[in-house]
Amino acid sequence: MKNKKTFFTTAIASLILLLTSSCDVVDKFDTIDLNIPMSIDIITIGTETTLTESDTFCLTEFDLYNDNKDKMEEISFVEASYRTTAVSPANLSGNISVELKTEAGLPLFSITIPNDTPAALLNNPIKLALTADQINALNSYVSNLSNQCFEATVSISNMPGGEKTVTGVVDILFKSKIEM
Amino acid sequence: MKKLFTVFFSLIIIQASVFGQFDDRLDYLTDKEVGKFIQPFVNYVGTSLNSGMYHTASVSDVFGFSFGFQGMLVFIPEDQKTFTPVLDKAGYTADKPTATIFGKEGAYYSGPEGYIVFPAGLDLNNVPMFVPQIGISTFGTELLVRFIPKISLGENELGYWGVGVKHSISRYFPLPLDVAAQVFYSKLEVTDIMTSKNLSINLLASKNFTLVCLYGGIQIESSSMNLKYTFKDPSGLYGGERKIELDIDGENTFRFTLGAALELGFIVLNADYSIGNQSVINGGLSFEF
């Protein structure tokens, strides 16, 4: 009888161990980490030697964000890059700056791409090297899930005179935790 | 006894809920990449469902009946936690691996059309599985049946059944230990998500001592999984949302098993360890008459 009790105790203890392991598995299924990429097109056109163009965008414009926003537990910045998709004239030279502000106009980051020209970035994205403070500012802003809109600005300076067109894209990657 | 059954059935319900959700991650993978992401899961399902079918090679010549539960803990090897995708978009290079379903971080790759992103995995080192089973034996042959009735998972239903036959070989030859051969087939289905079919053929041997039976076996096996999901095109580079269906074969093809069973009257506790594509510890509790 004593042996029986011991074996039942062992069996139940083993089951609890397996149950704990199972609960751990179930917990892992409760959420999913999703990378959410966003691309913002900004076209600068003009004859000035410095051209600046801004675009306001909201996270809700992107399907992946929109599909999951109601189940989103948190969101944070991962990486940003800039690329050009069209440049005219082809040999255009100039220095590019990318700036991101909150909807209310507070700066989150401003990056000048060193030693580059629009044509060099044609379908060749360059990573925007944000400082820790800039990343913190961006994460602090998006951590309030009601802050969903931004203003992105691209400035190209030191260009020659004449008619110019630069079509650029700011790619921003966020990571979010989604409740399943 | 009642508590044990409650715990076992709770485990099966928990397991069922997992199978109802695993496909959420697939929605973010193209048909070209999903196979590599889900391969360790196909292996896991095959490995676990092809486990725990025996704890002795002795088969009753008169009449035997048993019922019980088997619990498996499958260990996921490190090399099955990541894979390097083949990015079929010009200008992209997969310069780092991304997570499989059992890995951790989903990777991203920058290129001329923006970021291509992959989903994160579950970050699991081991994954359990539970099955109830019944055995009936006579004339040196045992019929083994596993069955989980349909369990509702919201929009889907999980169902599982398995059937196998074990036949004593040592009844024909004078051998110092019991030897038997067994074949087992099982099917696990989550409606509209996946169907897993698994087959195993094993040769096993056991030696009985007073209360303990030592057993071991070699097994060839196969698994395949049919998957259905809706690709959501997270990067926006693959033409948008669409339904995908594909078949994936498991990499679990062979295993070697060693174990022991403690026989206390009609109660049998067994534990074994199998080395294969994924290693698995199997433990069981049976009531045998």
Side-chain angles (χ1 to χ4, degrees):
Chain A
M1 183 61 88
K2 195 178 171 185
N3 273 348
K4 260 189 184 177
K5 262 192 168 174
T6 309
F7 286 118
F8 269 112
T9 307
T10 309
I12 288 171
S14 306
L15 284 173
I16 289 168
L17 188 69
L18 282 169
L19 188 61
T20 309
S21 174
S22 298
C23 290
D24 182 43
V25 172
V26 172
D27 284 346
K28 296 286 175 73
F29 275 93
D30 279 349
T31 58
I32 178 172
D33 288 342
L34 271 189
N35 289 318
I36 302 184
M38 299 172 182
S39 296
I40 303 102
D41 295 325
I42 297 179
I43 303 171
T44 49
I45 302 174
T47 56
E48 306 296 320
T49 56
T50 296
L51 294 174
T52 300
E53 191 60 54
S54 296
D55 187 27
T56 301
F57 68 97
C58 296
L59 302 178
T60 48
E61 294 167 23
F62 301 91
D63 288 345
L64 193 55
Y65 179 89
N66 233 11
D67 290 347
N68 293 288
K69 65 181 180 186
D70 296 334
K71 300 171 285 178
M72 198 169 284
E73 292 183 347
E74 58 187 57
I75 184 167
S76 58
F77 170 81
V78 177
E79 191 176 290
S81 59
Y82 176 79
R83 60 192 156 100
T84 53
T85 53
V87 179
S88 175
N91 61 349
L92 182 68
S93 61
N95 299 322
I96 304 164
S97 291
V98 179
E99 188 176 19
L100 192 70
K101 292 178 181 171
T102 67
E103 186 180 21
L106 297 171
L108 294 169
F109 69 76
S110 179
I111 305 286
T112 299
I113 298 168
N115 306 319
D116 233 320
T117 61
L121 301 178
L122 204 56
N123 295 320
N124 180 28
I126 184 167
K127 182 180 170 182
L128 302 178
L130 274 66
T131 65
D133 287 344
Q134 289 169 332
I135 292 171
N136 287 340
L138 187 45
N139 282 338
S140 175
Y141 181 64
V142 295
S143 66
N144 180 344
L145 295 175
S146 61
N147 289 335
Q148 297 174 333
C149 295
F150 301 83
E151 182 186 332
T153 302
V154 173
S155 295
I156 307 171
S157 59
N158 293 331
M159 291 188 291
E163 186 69 30
K164 299 169 288 288
T165 303
V166 176
T167 304
V169 182
V170 180
D171 293 309
I172 304 178
L173 182 64
F174 288 99
K175 183 165 88 172
S176 66
K177 193 175 279 297
I178 310 293
E179 188 185 350
M180 303 309 290
Chain B
M1 181 86 86
K2 196 176 171 186
K3 283 179 185 170
L4 273 176
F5 274 86
T6 306
V7 172
F8 271 120
F9 280 111
S10 301
L11 289 170
I12 288 167
I13 297 294
I14 288 169
Q15 173 181 299
S17 72
V18 165
F19 280 105
Q21 293 179 54
F22 87 95
D23 67 313
D24 292 325
R25 284 161 171 77
L26 305 186
D27 296 349
Y28 305 103
L29 290 151
T30 65
D31 50 348
K32 288 183 180 168
E33 304 294 355
V34 72
K36 285 171 275 185
F37 181 82
I38 203 70
Q39 183 70 61
F41 184 80
V42 179
N43 299 347
Y44 149 72
V45 173
T47 298
S48 54
L49 294 181
N50 283 332
S51 294
M53 285 97 66
Y54 61 84
H55 56 263
T56 178
S58 171
V59 188
S60 176
D61 268 329
V62 186
F63 180 76
F65 175 77
S66 71
F67 68 93
F69 295 87
Q70 295 290 320
M72 305 87 175
L73 196 60
V74 178
F75 296 91
I76 310 301
E78 282 301 314
D79 64 359
Q80 292 187 27
K81 290 184 180 175
T82 59
F83 73 98
T84 302
V86 178
L87 303 172
D88 58 354
K89 287 275 176 188
Y92 286 86
T93 305
D95 53 357
K96 57 192 170 191
T98 187
T100 67
I101 191 164
F102 293 128
K104 194 174 181 183
E105 296 281 339
Y108 55 89
Y109 305 93
S110 180
E113 295 178 70
Y115 290 104
I116 292 179
V117 296
F118 283 77
L122 294 163
D123 190 21
L124 290 170
N125 293 318
N126 48 65
V127 196
M129 176 75 87
F130 308 93
V131 288
Q133 61 187 31
I134 292 172
I136 299 167
S137 53
T138 187
F139 297 112
T141 302
E142 180 192 67
L143 175 70
L144 182 70
V145 177
R146 288 177 172 177
F147 181 67
I148 297 175
K150 296 267 184 187
I151 296 171
S152 175
L153 306 170
E155 295 174 358
N156 313 100
E157 280 188 332
L158 176 142
Y160 170 69
W161 62 266
V163 61
V165 175
K166 181 169 72 178
H167 186 69
S168 171
I169 294 171
S170 49
R171 73 197 301 257
Y172 303 110
F173 311 99
L175 295 171
L177 68 174
D178 293 308
V179 178
Q182 185 181 45
V183 58
F184 189 80
Y185 176 82
S186 67
K187 184 178 173 184
L188 175 72
E189 185 176 20
V190 180
T191 53
D192 300 325
I193 296 178
M194 64 157 247
T195 305
S196 169
K197 295 174 181 174
N198 308 285
L199 176 69
S200 61
I201 300 167
N202 58 60
L203 183 67
L204 62 143
S206 68
K207 179 76 178 172
N208 269 76
F209 299 94
T210 312
L211 284 174
V212 176
C213 174
L214 299 179
Y215 63 93
I218 51 172
Q219 178 166 299
I220 52 170
E221 60 188 72
S222 66
S223 296
S224 65
M225 187 177 283
N226 174 269
L227 282 172
K228 293 172 190 162
Y229 68 100
T230 303
F231 174 57
K232 291 187 175 168
D233 196 5
S235 310
L237 303 178
Y238 293 97
E241 194 169 301
R242 63 181 178 275
K243 290 197 179 299
I244 290 175
E245 180 172 353
L246 76 164
D247 294 297
I248 302 167
D249 288 332
E251 295 171 330
N252 51 310
T253 55
F254 180 81
R255 74 170 72 187
F256 178 70
T257 302
L258 269 181
L262 195 57
E263 298 169 342
L264 299 159
F266 66 92
I267 298 169
V268 178
L269 290 170
N270 74 287
D272 57 60
Y273 182 73
S274 295
I275 300 169
N277 173 267
Q278 292 173 340
S279 296
V280 53
I281 288 180
N282 173 72
L285 170 65
S286 310
F287 301 91
E288 302 190 350
F289 306 95

